[in-house]
Amino acid sequence: MADMFVFAPALLFLVLFGMSAREDRRRFRNAVYLGLTCISLVIGLLAQLRHAPGGIGPLVVAAVFAVPALGVVVLAFFLIANGVTMVRKEGRSLGNLLSLLAGLAILGLLILPVAAAQSGSVTAAGATATIGLIALYVSFLFLCFLGYAYLYGRIKVRGDVDYVVMLGSGLVGGDRVPPLLASRLHKGIQIHQAQLARGGTPPVLLPSGGKGSDEKVAEARAMADWLIAEGIPAGHIRLEDQSRTTEENLRFSEAIMARDTPGYRCVVVTNNFHAFRAAMMARKARVNGQVLGSPTAAYFWPSATIREFVAVFMEHKVVNLAICGALAASGALLTLAA
């Protein structure tokens, strides 16, 4: 019976996760609770290995540490290869270089302890340990983000909705819908047609996006024209054509929906890599609805996901930078004490 107490932390974090997700699925703390639940469960299971017969326990422990270590190496080379693909297909920009830079950073972190050990320097060893702790913290948050974003993407919207908000993105040639944006519009049409097929009132399709400095028309106008060309009646479309950012997309769309249909219910459509962060922003904008993701080209996903995580990390920068600073200060003090 006493052995079961090792699972108490996992149970506690699972309860906190369930309560938080039930209150609102669009909070980042849900991701952290889920990550802490998984880590606590693994620790509890490892603690039970002392009861395993023969030499099974040490083998399992070795596998638990060896598999992630090998996975990190594989991940580094995968990200580097993906970064090369991104540059070749999408061009050179910081956003397109993110997976390449992440892969090189992982390789650097793997090489750093070897270099510190060869130097024999206490300062180098302390600095390496500090960097490692910060990297572990950031990696933990990234895995939390990745895991919960995947779960959030599995959400099914039940019942009818009044609006389908489709978030805009840049246009090609100033007036044409690119494939990334077309994916969102296809998803919006699917929701519209599915509700119509159930015998429900067709939801209003609400493309959202203003006119950029390099665009000939507002993104919402180009999106609406695309939808009409695909057979959607113009009367089923309502434009939000003033926004310049995702936050404005959501805030301005919410104002339109709340004014035209008090007590409305909606879904917001964006690409799958962007869905969870968009959901977090939708919560802040008081949008009454969940966010659904549309498919994205596989090669585009790693860099886009890293970019989304960086944005989420910086949205909570006070807490995250304070923890990173505390880890760095602790490492410096330990190095000085040594």
Side-chain angles (χ1 to χ4, degrees):
M1 183 66 178
D3 287 342
M4 299 308 295
F5 282 108
V6 298
F7 295 107
L11 180 60
L12 172 62
F13 289 126
L14 180 61
V15 170
L16 291 173
F17 167 72
M19 293 172 60
S20 182
R22 183 177 181 179
E23 179 184 345
D24 197 324
R25 297 171 179 174
R26 302 171 295 177
R27 293 180 181 272
F28 185 67
R29 71 184 186 192
N30 299 343
V32 176
Y33 285 145
L34 181 62
L36 290 172
T37 299
C38 293
I39 289 177
S40 301
L41 180 60
V42 170
I43 293 173
L45 292 172
L46 289 176
Q48 298 301 302
L49 288 176
R50 66 181 184 274
H51 301 303
I56 294 179
L59 288 176
V60 173
V61 172
V64 166
F65 288 98
V67 171
L70 179 61
V72 168
V73 176
V74 173
L75 176 63
F77 286 104
F78 166 77
L79 289 174
I80 291 171
N82 176 259
V84 173
T85 301
M86 278 292 293
V87 171
R88 189 174 70 249
K89 291 191 174 184
E90 301 290 337
R92 294 182 182 179
S93 70
L94 180 58
N96 295 338
L97 288 171
L98 282 177
S99 59
L100 175 62
L101 294 175
L104 293 174
I106 291 172
L107 287 182
L109 287 171
L110 295 175
I111 294 171
L112 194 58
V114 177
Q118 289 181 344
S119 71
S121 168
V122 174
T123 301
T128 299
T130 301
I131 293 172
L133 286 174
I134 294 174
L136 281 174
Y137 172 71
V138 175
S139 298
F140 166 72
L141 289 183
F142 179 72
L143 290 175
C144 291
F145 171 79
L146 197 64
Y148 188 71
Y150 175 81
L151 288 179
Y152 186 86
R154 308 277 79 74
I155 289 176
K156 303 295 183 183
V157 176
R158 301 182 184 279
D160 289 352
V161 295
D162 301 299
Y163 293 90
V164 180
V165 179
M166 292 160 288
L167 303 184
S169 66
L171 302 175
V172 176
D175 59 359
R176 298 194 310 277
V177 171
L180 193 73
L181 182 53
S183 174
R184 304 178 186 184
L185 299 177
H186 275 300
K187 184 74 172 180
I189 290 176
Q190 289 175 7
I191 298 168
H192 178 276
Q193 299 295 74
Q195 186 162 311
L196 196 60
R198 292 196 304 268
T201 302
V204 175
L205 298 182
L206 205 165
S208 176
K211 181 177 178 294
S213 58
D214 60 343
E215 294 173 336
K216 300 174 185 177
V217 298
E219 293 170 7
R221 180 69 266 165
M223 294 160 71
D225 291 342
W226 190 96
L227 290 168
I228 292 171
E230 291 292 314
I232 299 298
H236 292 186
I237 301 171
R238 174 80 156 85
L239 273 63
E240 184 290 293
D241 58 3
Q242 300 300 312
S243 56
R244 298 295 183 90
T245 65
T246 302
E247 289 87 349
E248 289 185 352
N249 286 152
L250 295 164
R251 194 167 70 249
F252 295 172
S253 295
E254 200 282 332
I256 290 173
M257 293 185 290
R259 182 178 64 248
D260 292 354
T261 312
Y264 72 89
R265 185 168 179 258
C266 77
V267 293
V268 179
V269 177
T270 185
N271 288 90
N272 49 16
F273 64 82
H274 185 234
F276 181 41
R277 187 165 77 91
M280 294 170 61
M281 289 187 281
R283 183 183 68 82
K284 293 181 181 178
R286 301 183 182 279
V287 173
N288 182 27
Q290 301 296 332
V291 180
L292 301 182
S294 64
T296 306
Y299 75 87
F300 194 87
W301 192 84
S303 285
T305 300
I306 294 170
R307 183 172 66 246
E308 293 298 302
F309 169 71
V310 172
V312 171
F313 184 91
M314 294 310 295
E315 284 173 10
H316 300 81
K317 60 185 176 183
V318 174
V319 173
N320 289 325
L321 294 181
I323 292 175
C324 290
L327 291 173
S330 299
L333 290 174
L334 291 173
T335 301
L336 291 174

